[in-house]
Amino acid sequence: HGEFNPAYLDEVRTVWVFYLLGLVPYCLTQILVAQHLVLKKTYILLSVAFVMNVGNILLNLYFMRIMGLPGLSFATSLVQAGALALLVLSSGRLNREALYGRI
């Protein structure tokens, strides 16, 4: 009881690598979340969170069927990268508004 089965080592390695792919987007997302909080643009964060949740559910279902358990970590990393892209776009818009006024 409590022993790790070495047969699962390859699957655990794959899951770890897929989660690792999402680590950089996650860290960068946290910076942009702080920017949106400071600017009191929480409605953007709510929208991104909604898209992330829906995307995570849909991609989990899709990649779980194709890849099995590693598909869950791959889907999570993809959704995190998508959230980063949305926040980068939103941040660019917020920065332009701050510099040039409402566009």
Side-chain angles (χ1 to χ4, degrees):
H1 189 277
E3 290 183 33
F4 184 75
N5 187 343
Y8 296 119
L9 191 58
D10 286 335
E11 190 171 42
V12 170
R13 184 181 303 118
T14 305
V15 167
W16 186 79
V17 167
F18 284 147
Y19 275 127
L20 192 59
L21 290 174
L23 183 61
V24 171
Y26 173 79
C27 292
L28 295 174
T29 297
Q30 294 308 303
I31 295 168
L32 295 175
V33 165
Q35 176 194 21
H36 284 74
L37 287 172
V38 167
L39 296 173
K40 295 183 170 70
K41 301 293 184 181
T42 54
Y43 65 93
I44 295 171
L45 297 177
L46 181 63
S47 301
V48 171
F50 179 77
V51 169
M52 283 179 69
N53 286 325
V54 171
N56 211 2
I57 291 168
L58 295 175
L59 289 177
N60 278 343
L61 291 172
Y62 178 73
F63 285 114
M64 182 71 172
R65 290 182 184 169
I66 295 172
M67 303 168 68
L69 188 60
L72 297 175
S73 58
F74 184 63
T76 301
S77 291
L78 282 179
V79 167
Q80 192 61 55
L84 175 61
L86 290 173
L87 288 174
V88 164
L89 292 172
S90 172
S91 180
R93 181 172 170 246
L94 292 174
N95 291 338
R96 282 190 304 277
E97 284 180 6
L99 289 172
Y100 306 114
R102 196 136 185 106
I103 299 173

